[in-house]
Amino acid sequence: MTILLHLLILSGIIPLTWVNGGRSESFTTQLPVSIINIFISIIGIGFTLFISKNVLKKYRRGITVICWLFVVLWSVGFVQQLLGTPFEKMICSLILLLGVISNLRMAIEK
């Protein structure tokens, strides 16, 4: 969902004033933000696919620590979205809340 959101921003379907707290003044300022977020999302997909397989016990503790770190980071992002534009409050915060729940589930499950 995050990748789709940033692709919609880059294609101009979602106005720049709706995202990034309304601080993106032009496409050139938003472009690096969206590209970095797409790249981070792809890494997150890879991490999720990696831990969804049967992981050796020696990696389990490290993976759990990383999942808890993601819970904290996504929670901070959720709060930031609630302080943003109306679009961020309604749409982006929902996406981040789903991310918090997903990461929390991965951190808690054995």
Side-chain angles (χ1 to χ4, degrees), residues 21-79:
R23 293 185 303 269
S24 292
E25 299 171 2
S26 67
F27 180 77
T28 56
T29 58
Q30 181 61 39
L31 182 64
V33 173
S34 290
I35 289 174
I36 290 170
N37 283 324
I38 289 170
F39 182 70
I40 290 170
S41 296
I42 291 170
I43 292 171
I45 290 169
F47 177 76
T48 303
L49 291 173
F50 174 73
I51 66 169
S52 67
K53 307 233 185 260
N54 290 330
V55 179
L56 299 174
K57 283 193 169 211
K58 66 180 181 177
Y59 298 123
R60 193 167 311 274
R61 183 177 177 106
I63 289 172
T64 302
V65 169
I66 292 170
C67 287
W68 279 110
L69 177 66
F70 283 159
V71 169
V72 171
L73 292 174
W74 281 70
S75 298
V76 170
F78 175 71
V79 171

